[in-house]
Amino acid sequence: VAAVLSFTCIPISTKVVSADAPAAPPGRPDAGVFDLKAISRLLLRPGVLPVFLIKVVSGFPSGLFMVMFSIISMDFFQLDAAEAGYLTSFFGVLQMVIQGVVIGRLSSYFSEGALLRAGVLVFVVVGLAMALMSNVFHFCLLMPGLVFSLCALNVVTDSMLTKAVPASDTGTMLGLCASVQPLTRTLGPTVGGLLYRSFGVPIFGHVQFATNVLVLLVLWRLPLPQKTDKVW
């Protein structure tokens, strides 16, 4: 099904290349699949590195929590396998609704910078609530805020980063954006396991609160786009 959809529904080009775009210098070798020079060149473009670091740093604490969620749901929330599955399904449905409807509507009225700041601010509030929660009902109450922040952070930063690079580098930038989640899944089990064993579930809220407070302070000093554009 995925192969059929990709062949029939995905266009060959999703970003228009202007006629006056600079051509590649003659004799220049083609970039490889993993080109550190190309990655460094993109990250050093104006406005790219700060947004990329915000994407990584702001979402890492919640990523740690989600990596450890299966253990937390059974050990801390005392849920059986079926109940943990229901909670995960609720999380997935909520993510589809918020990312597909809420973020799209908000992007019509607010700029990317405003949505990014709002997402980080909600991260701060959710982190504080997560440090105080004691049962699964409390987690269900704060889950919409957590999902909104995750969706806003991912959608807005991906949009800002792809707009900051030429059309020919869009694929490389999307690859860099997609590498953030595997990075969290690689480091998450070790870091999250040590934190959970030493300090318990509240530590994830404390880390998320402290990290995103710092990110929010940085965001207020960064010149972010103020034009109201749809982010996707």
Side-chain angles (χ1 to χ4, degrees), residues 11-171:
I12 298 176
S13 177
T14 58
K15 195 169 186 180
V16 179
V17 181
S18 59
D20 55 349
R28 179 180 176 182
D30 295 334
V33 176
F34 187 73
D35 192 340
L36 288 176
K37 291 183 178 180
I39 294 174
S40 302
R41 176 175 54 83
L42 288 183
L43 290 178
L44 293 178
R45 288 183 64 88
V48 171
L49 186 58
V51 176
F52 186 77
L53 291 177
I54 288 172
K55 179 182 183 68
V56 175
V57 175
S58 181
F60 189 71
S62 58
L64 288 180
F65 179 82
M66 297 312 301
V67 166
M68 298 295 299
F69 181 71
S70 58
I71 297 176
I72 293 173
S73 61
M74 291 185 289
D75 186 40
F76 182 76
F77 294 143
Q78 298 296 315
L79 302 179
D80 58 30
E83 292 170 337
Y86 298 148
L87 191 60
T88 305
S89 299
F90 173 62
F91 184 87
V93 172
L94 197 61
Q95 185 174 4
M96 288 192 295
V97 172
I98 291 179
Q99 183 166 326
V101 179
V102 177
I103 302 297
R105 295 286 181 86
L106 291 178
S107 66
S108 301
Y109 301 99
F110 301 99
S111 66
E112 293 175 341
L115 286 177
L116 185 57
R117 291 187 178 101
V120 176
L121 180 60
V122 175
F123 259 143
V124 173
V125 177
V126 170
L128 184 60
M130 191 181 297
L132 300 174
M133 71 176 180
S134 59
N135 54 54
V136 68
F137 178 71
H138 295 160
F139 178 68
C140 290
L141 292 179
L142 62 87
M143 192 181 291
L146 178 63
V147 175
F148 170 80
S149 297
L150 287 172
C151 293
L153 180 71
N154 292 330
V155 172
V156 173
T157 53
D158 286 359
S159 175
M160 294 172 68
L161 290 172
T162 52
K163 288 178 182 178
V165 299
S168 58
D169 293 321
T170 302

Side-chain angles (χ1 to χ4, degrees), residues 168-212:
S168 58
D169 293 321
T170 302
T172 306
M173 181 53 69
L174 287 175
L176 284 175
C177 294
S179 68
V180 175
Q181 188 173 7
L183 174 66
T184 304
R185 290 181 176 179
T186 302
L187 301 177
T190 301
V191 178
L194 291 174
L195 290 176
Y196 180 63
R197 182 177 181 179
S198 302
F199 305 101
V201 172
I203 189 61
F204 296 102
H206 292 144
V207 172
Q208 181 168 312
F209 174 80
T211 301
N212 283 281

